Amino acid sequence: MKTYRKLYPQVWDFENLYLAYRKARKGKRGRPGAAAFEQVQEDELLALQDELRSFAYKPGAYHSFYIHDPKKRLISAAPFRDRVVHHALCRVIEPIWERRFIYDTYANRVEKGTHRALDRTTQFARGNSHFLQCDVRQFFPSIDHAILRSEFSRLIRDDGLLWLCDRILISGEGVLSDEYGMVWFPGDDLLAANRPRGLPIGNLTSQFWANVYLNGLDHFVKRELKCKAYVRYVDDFLLFSDDPEQLLMWREAIIEHLAGLRLTLHEERARVYATASGIPFLGFRLYPDHRRVKRRKVVHFRRKLRRLAGDYATGGVSFTQVDASVKGWVNHVRYADSWGLRRDVLGSIRL
């Protein structure tokens, strides 16, 4: 197995930091943190370079807030300068794991994403009569730092780079502690409750490290279970087969494998269904020959559109903001059979 050394200087290389800054500010130039950084970008980048090179870098505090989309999630935003560091780190280490990821994991990867995951799921639905639907319980709050560190060390033999990964990991310790309900695994003692765990939802590093953490699961499903039709998007994944009993056996093997990662399934939801009944996945219900947008997604957008229309009428938002929101929704739901739905939803609002 190939290992990687002398990577850390690539992280604090000025060109890498500058390109990381450009990526971090994309779509965020009007926000206070990005705007303040941009005003003195060269000084800020040189300061970051010096801090990283001298091992003096200290991540700042997170700004946390809840969203409901549709379930309640705690989002933790790092200061802008830390997001620059996250991009600089990922630019160096992502290629190491990218070539080790399986084809059919779709979240937070270049040329993958939601719509390609939907297309692949439809393909598998057409070739298999049944599917097993799984999702990991309290995934981001449960990610165990010791297990993730061991995965880093398996491939990376660079103390500086591992130091930076550790700094970022430690900065997120406890951010999701209130979101985690203690799960006890065989062999645990009372000290297990104090194991450092959790990755802040919102970090670029967290999104990438989530794929690193579940990479072993992907290979287990493909290589050991020999499942040919498998799709994963973050912690939601589907296995397909014509044999329902085989899917149930795979379910038990996955539960056991996840325990080794200190993760658990939502077992009450991890069931086998006929593909003809529709596959609820990533905001859609997929059938072998067509797709629907999930009802709750439609209800959510109707409410949002009514609010936007009201705010526009009182001057609270501009037409450009309303137009951008509508175009974003249309671009998403066009991946379903939704022509009538779009006409109905958009026709109900007058600006």
Side-chain angles (χ1 to χ4, degrees):
M1 178 180 63
K2 183 177 179 180
T3 58
Y4 295 83
R5 305 171 189 271
K6 299 181 179 179
L7 296 172
Y8 190 50
Q10 297 177 36
V11 176
W12 51 258
D13 175 78
F14 189 84
E15 183 179 2
N16 185 55
L17 286 173
Y18 177 71
L19 293 173
Y21 154 67
R22 293 287 296 266
K23 289 193 74 174
R25 79 173 186 181
K26 188 175 181 180
K28 300 176 175 65
R29 294 184 73 174
R31 297 185 183 179
F37 192 100
E38 185 169 16
Q39 287 182 345
V40 287
Q41 60 181 270
E42 186 173 350
D43 291 341
E44 287 279 16
L45 291 173
L46 286 170
L48 272 178
Q49 183 183 48
D50 184 62
E51 291 172 25
L52 291 167
R53 182 166 44 197
S54 63
F55 299 95
Y57 168 70
K58 294 181 181 179
Y62 288 91
H63 167 63
S64 296
F65 54 93
Y66 284 99
I67 64 168
H68 298 78
D69 188 27
K71 62 183 179 182
K72 184 178 178 182
R73 292 179 185 272
L74 180 66
I75 304 298
S76 300
F80 183 78
R81 75 192 310 266
D82 292 335
R83 295 201 293 273
V84 173
V85 174
H86 299 168
H87 277 277
L89 173 63
C90 287
R91 281 176 53 81
V92 173
I93 64 174
E94 273 187 0
I96 296 173
W97 272 277
E98 182 61 34
R99 62 180 63 98
R100 288 169 172 78
F101 291 153
I102 67 167
Y103 180 86
D104 284 314
T105 177
Y106 287 88
N108 309 305
R109 296 179 67 193
V110 176
E111 298 184 358
K112 296 290 183 176
T114 302
H115 299 133
R116 294 201 177 194
L118 294 171
D119 290 343
R120 188 66 157 168
T121 301
T122 298
Q123 178 186 342
F124 288 149
R126 289 172 178 168
N128 297 272
S129 63
H130 288 80
F131 70 97
L132 169 67
Q133 184 160 35
C134 300
D135 68 294
V136 178
R137 196 167 156 264
Q138 48 186 23
F139 175 54
F140 280 96
S142 300
I143 291 177
D144 188 272
H145 289 192
I147 294 173
L148 185 57
R149 282 189 185 101
S150 70
E151 184 63 22
F152 295 157
S153 300
R154 200 169 63 85
L155 296 179
I156 295 172
R157 298 288 192 268
D158 184 314
D159 291 341
L161 194 140
L162 292 173
W163 171 86
L164 180 57
C165 291
D166 210 44
R167 296 296 281 182
I168 296 171
L169 270 178
I170 291 170
S171 75
E173 242 177 66
V175 169
L176 292 177
S177 57
D178 291 341
E179 311 301 307
Y180 179 74
M182 184 62 198
V183 178
W184 300 95
F185 294 92
D188 279 353
D189 55 24
L190 293 177
L191 293 176
N194 297 320
R195 290 176 71 100
R197 60 175 65 85
L199 295 181
I201 301 173
N203 271 7
L204 175 69
T205 48
S206 298
Q207 296 165 10
F208 170 60
W209 288 342
N211 279 337
V212 171
Y213 202 81
L214 289 182
N215 187 43
L217 170 68
D218 296 338
H219 286 278
F220 172 75
V221 171
K222 298 294 288 183
R223 294 181 179 183
E224 297 191 36
L225 299 186
K226 308 294 185 185
C227 176
K228 295 181 180 179
Y230 167 76
V231 176
R232 179 172 68 81
Y233 194 95
V234 193
D235 62 314
D236 293 306
F237 52 98
L238 304 164
L239 291 80
F240 294 83
S241 174
D242 287 327
D243 185 350
E245 292 300 320
Q246 182 180 58
L247 288 169
L248 289 172
M249 288 189 292
W250 286 347
R251 176 184 182 271
E252 296 309 306
I254 288 169
I255 290 171
E256 183 178 349
H257 183 87
L258 287 176
L261 297 172
R262 304 189 67 81
L263 297 175
T264 56
L265 282 184
H266 275 113
E267 292 192 30
E268 69 281 3
R269 300 204 293 246
R271 297 180 180 178
V272 174
Y273 304 91
T275 53
S277 67
I279 304 167
F281 193 50
L282 303 179
F284 295 84
R285 182 170 285 274
L286 311 178
Y287 298 86
D289 58 353
H290 68 286
R291 297 177 188 170
R292 302 288 188 197
V293 183
K294 276 190 178 179
R295 181 180 179 277
R296 61 174 172 78
K297 292 288 186 180
V298 178
V299 170
H300 175 76
F301 184 72
R302 283 185 188 274
R303 290 172 180 167
K304 179 180 180 179
L305 191 57
R306 283 197 294 268
R307 287 196 304 270
L308 283 171
D311 290 342
Y312 176 72
T314 60
V317 298
S318 67
F319 178 80
T320 301
Q321 290 171 293
V322 177
D323 187 54
S325 182
V326 169
K327 285 179 177 176
W329 182 74
V330 169
N331 186 55
H332 180 62
V333 301
R334 71 185 177 88
Y335 287 89
D337 300 277
S338 62
W339 175 252
L341 171 67
R342 284 179 269 168
R343 183 176 54 194
D344 179 55
V345 171
L346 300 179
S348 66
I349 296 294
R350 294 291 182 269
L351 296 179

